[in-house]
Amino acid sequence: MNDTRDPNVIIGAWLDEGPTDLPESTRRAITTSVRTIDQRRGFTLPWTNRPVTSWFGPALVAAAVVVAVAGIYMLAPFGRTPSVGPPVGSPTASEEPPATPPPAAVGRIAFTRYDADIGPFGENLGTFIVNADGTGEQRLDLSVASDGVVWSPDGTRLLLTNAAGDGGRALPAVANADGSDAQVLGFDGPFGDVRCAAWTPDGQRLLCSVDARGDPNLAGIYSVAADGSDQPGQRLTTDSSVVVNGSISKCSGQDIPGDFSPDGTQFVFIRMLCGGGEDPAAGQTAEIRVGTVGEDQSVAITIPGIAHPLLPGARWSPDGQWIIFGGSSHLLYRVRPDGTDRQTIPVATPSLDAFLYRPDWSPDGSRIVFSMQAQSGGETELYSVAADGSDLQRITQRPGAEDYASWGPPAP
Amino acid sequence: MTVGLVERAREGDDAAFTELVDMYGDRCYAIAYRILRDTERAQDAVQSAFLLCWRELPKLRDPERFSVWLHRLVVNSCYEEYRRHKRWSSNIRALPLDGPEGPDSIASVADRQALELAFGQLSPEHRAVVVLHHHVGMPLATIAEVVGVPLGTVKSRLFHATRILRTALGADPDTDIPEVRSA
């Protein structure tokens, strides 16, 4: 095929056409105007001739102290010190080898690969399965495109979390483990995007967020039959739809599904919270919450700001003891389901600005898979570590950004 | 260097702010034009965004975040401009057919007509993601921060918008062209 007829190349070329230089008249208008606009830095007391921020200056100082303390609180592991070995790559790793060998990476990892330059259409992009040791990668031939994938507990089916729906909606689909027979769950009625993230332990139901196109009486987290027979299913959260309007931005709070507990009686999810002031979207934070199926209430297990507002992921360990998630500090955390004992997972990253997100447990809970951009602007690949953060192993090697890793059992 | 300029501008140094306008103005204008497909409205959007930037700059806590923050202001300003214009304008507008066409042009006149029509069906939210991705080459995670939605939503918007544009080019002939609304 001639590259110049590649639709994506044509789209890119078309977008590149047109003006790129800000007209001088507009530039002048901006720079002239700023000299006449008060930058809101307060006023000058006539008797001191000293600028002050505002009458609530002391309150701002106090707020700054709170922010600083919160920052320390966020970045430092707290609670009981995790009993972990030295991370691979740390100065002590070679001096003091672990007494027991690290757990083996067993099973299959499903993931999506996306290329920022190509999009999801190329032959080497889409939904993939790879052995947990990085061997045997294969691309699934799916009849529906999706940018997220989750193994069913028994490893026989795949949840496609964000399949292409009608009218541009995101809808879930369920397919066989080899990608065949993908069925989109239609969600007729007043529903917008429906995104699912987890299966119940028995594989019968899915944990989903339902966007009811602005109707607060319908939006929330739902438990939905995996065969789509009881849409929209059982509503699990009812208090997520908070809309904050500011003069700069508008922010809509929402709940993002995480995972069911191993016994299926509880679920973890991420609540996106709006900031205040004129730009509430800029101040968006997230908190991890745990709810009980059948009870219309949930409790926060992290304070706002710990979890990454956009890429947290939240997965329940197979033994039920921990919930793991990606933090706004770009590190991985684990926390008890009751909110105690939060700890960073001490991964020996290649650089200080590495970005780790969207983790998942291996079926036996001994290891964790996650996406990592090893350095700012670099490639995003899948890696795994032992549950204590040691034994960092790279799983994927090819171009493109790997995301939505889901660790399933070995092939039968 | 940028951080130093932002810090100075944050303290009210309008000369430093002028340097920031020089550094970022062209890029912001290119983005605004491609979202709005109109030079005058793009100029208005960029001017509004920079004036808001100047006014709100003292509140920006982390100068390292200036670029993302400024892009957010520009995109939001485009949304406002789009909706303000849509309230009183008709949907009929001339197609820009006077662009380059010849041996060096990848997009033919027919391609550009088809893309212009298809792009016109996209919401400003979908347009922004397409422009930031295909034109600016911004990483998707950064786009998510700029437009203030989860990464999954960015991917979803990009997927659907790109599919519509590809369909317009006849690349995906089995796909209808639905009207994409704001997510």
Side-chain angles (χ1 to χ4, degrees), chain B residues 25-40:
Chain B
D26 290 347
R27 186 182 205 188
C28 292
Y29 177 64
I31 291 170
Y33 169 79
R34 280 153 184 82
I35 293 173
L36 296 167
R37 310 301 298 173
D38 185 293
T39 54
E40 289 188 7

Side-chain angles (χ1 to χ4, degrees), chain A residues 289-337:
Chain A
R289 298 182 72 89
V290 167
T292 300
V293 176
E295 295 179 13
D296 181 19
Q297 50 187 302
S298 60
V299 294
I301 63 169
T302 67
I303 59 172
I306 301 295
H308 194 286
L310 304 173
L311 299 163
R315 309 299 287 186
W316 215 304
S317 66
D319 65 4
Q321 297 299 305
W322 295 101
I323 289 167
I324 191 171
F325 62 95
S328 57
S329 59
H330 295 184
L331 303 173
L332 300 181
Y333 290 84
R334 65 180 182 178
V335 62
R336 301 286 185 187

Side-chain angles (χ1 to χ4, degrees), chain A residues 4-23 25-27 29-31 33-35 37-41 112 114-121 145 147 162-165 167-170 193 195 211 213 248-249 254 256 272 278-279 281-282 284 310-311 355 357-358 403-404, chain B residues 9-12 14 17-18 21-22 25-27 29-30 33-34 37 39 43 46-47 50-52 54-59 69 72-73 76 100 105-107 111-112 115-116 119 130-131 133-135 140-141 144-145 148-153 155-156 158-160 162-163 165-166 169 171-172 178-179 181 183:
Chain A
T4 60
R5 291 308 304 167
D6 182 315
N8 285 1
V9 172
I10 295 172
I11 292 168
W14 172 72
L15 278 172
D16 288 343
E17 294 176 2
T20 55
D21 295 338
L22 182 66
S25 57
T26 308
R27 192 186 304 268
I30 294 168
T31 54
S33 297
V34 299
R35 298 191 189 105
I37 295 176
D38 179 7
Q39 211 185 22
R40 289 191 182 177
R41 55 185 67 264
T112 60
Y114 202 95
D115 190 303
D117 295 325
I118 302 172
F121 300 103
D147 69 357
N162 191 6
R169 289 194 299 161
D193 291 338
R195 293 191 170 88
D211 165 22
R213 292 186 167 137
I248 299 177
S249 65
Q254 59 177 304
I256 300 170
M272 293 182 69
E278 296 176 327
D279 194 2
Q284 210 165 38
L310 304 173
L311 299 163
F355 184 2
Y357 61 94
R358 230 190 297 271
D403 196 357
Y404 292 97
Chain B
R10 197 169 55 175
E11 296 302 311
D14 55 19
F17 189 77
T18 298
V21 174
D22 289 340
D26 290 347
R27 186 182 205 188
Y29 177 64
Y33 169 79
R34 280 153 184 82
R37 310 301 298 173
T39 54
Q43 290 171 44
V46 171
Q47 186 169 338
F50 268 111
L51 295 185
L52 191 59
W54 168 254
R55 196 162 56 87
E56 301 296 324
L57 198 51
K59 296 178 184 173
W69 182 68
R72 177 196 287 272
L73 295 182
N76 285 341
S105 177
I106 294 172
D111 288 338
R112 279 189 267 133
L115 288 170
E116 198 76 37
F119 200 78
V130 169
V131 170
H133 173 73
H134 283 294
H135 177 66
L140 296 183
E145 292 186 285
V149 299
L151 182 61
T153 303
K155 289 180 176 177
S156 173
L158 182 61
F159 172 76
H160 294 299
T162 307
R163 187 175 63 161
L165 297 178
R166 287 170 57 95
L169 293 172
D172 298 324
E179 182 179 357
R181 303 176 189 88

Side-chain angles (χ1 to χ4, degrees), chain A residues 188-384:
Chain A
D188 296 330
F191 304 110
D193 291 338
V194 179
R195 293 191 170 88
C196 305
W199 301 74
T200 48
D202 62 5
Q204 296 299 305
R205 302 186 72 80
L206 307 171
L207 189 67
C208 307
S209 69
V210 173
D211 165 22
R213 292 186 167 137
D215 184 350
N217 296 317
L218 290 173
I221 300 285
Y222 282 69
S223 168
V224 179
D227 60 5
S229 59
D230 70 344
Q231 296 171 9
Q234 180 184 9
R235 193 177 182 197
L236 301 179
T237 66
T238 60
D239 53 350
S240 65
S241 294
V242 177
V243 177
V244 178
N245 285 298
S247 60
I248 299 177
S249 65
K250 174 184 173 183
C251 170
S252 300
Q254 59 177 304
D255 289 344
I256 300 170
D259 200 3
F260 280 108
S261 62
D263 63 5
T265 61
Q266 291 181 289
F267 61 100
V268 60
F269 66 100
I270 302 99
R271 174 157 293 173
M272 293 182 69
L273 307 166
C274 296
E278 296 176 327
D279 194 2
Q284 210 165 38
T285 57
E287 63 184 16
I288 308 290
R289 298 182 72 89
V290 167
T292 300
V293 176
E295 295 179 13
D296 181 19
Q297 50 187 302
S298 60
V299 294
I301 63 169
T302 67
I303 59 172
I306 301 295
H308 194 286
L310 304 173
L311 299 163
R315 309 299 287 186
W316 215 304
S317 66
D319 65 4
Q321 297 299 305
W322 295 101
I323 289 167
I324 191 171
F325 62 95
S328 57
S329 59
H330 295 184
L331 303 173
L332 300 181
Y333 290 84
R334 65 180 182 178
V335 62
R336 301 286 185 187
D338 64 2
T340 61
D341 213 9
R342 193 185 70 240
Q343 305 163 2
T344 53
I345 305 291
V347 179
T349 57
S351 71
L352 290 176
D353 57 355
F355 184 2
L356 290 66
Y357 61 94
R358 230 190 297 271
D360 190 27
W361 298 91
S362 63
D364 65 1
S366 67
R367 296 190 71 86
I368 297 162
V369 63
F370 54 95
S371 294
M372 177 164 74
Q373 189 179 37
Q375 54 197 7
S376 182
E379 285 275 316
T380 298
E381 301 289 348
L382 295 187
Y383 293 80
S384 80

